[in-house]
Amino acid sequence: MTRSTTPSLGTILFFAIAFLLSAYFTFAAVQGDFGLFRRVEIQAEADLLMADLQRLRDEIAEMENLTHRLSDSYLDLDLLDEQARSVLGLARADEIVIH
């Protein structure tokens, strides 16, 4: 009784399909819509958005501080003088203005 050492067509086909499926799922896990590369992109975008959010929060805090300093309950004369000079173009009588 002799046995053939060459694999049958069914075995080759089975391993080829298994290899192709594993290659497809590996590719999808790395580069798919929910893959590793997309996760890195989303994390980088989230970091940029958090930095932008912090910048906007700082800007809002600065504006709230300036608004409070010009409110009726608290008046900062230096800030009022600065705003009158920049917005209205006012100058004191003892100042020389050079344009």
Side-chain angles (χ1 to χ4, degrees), residues 50-94:
M50 289 301 289
D52 194 31
L53 177 64
Q54 186 59 42
R55 182 188 58 80
L56 289 173
R57 284 182 177 163
D58 293 343
E59 189 176 322
I60 288 171
E62 182 182 345
M63 288 183 181
E64 285 176 348
N65 182 26
L66 289 175
T67 303
H68 173 70
R69 287 171 54 194
L70 286 175
S71 67
D72 291 336
S73 62
Y74 178 87
L75 185 60
D76 187 357
L77 295 177
D78 290 333
L79 183 62
L80 181 62
D81 183 53
E82 177 187 332
Q83 292 296 318
R85 289 171 185 269
S86 66
V87 174
L88 300 175
L90 297 178
R92 293 193 311 244
D94 62 343

Side-chain angles (χ1 to χ4, degrees), residues 10-28:
T11 305
I12 293 174
L13 189 61
F14 172 76
F15 282 112
I17 290 174
F19 175 75
L20 289 176
L21 282 174
S22 65
Y24 169 75
F25 286 122
T26 302
F27 177 79

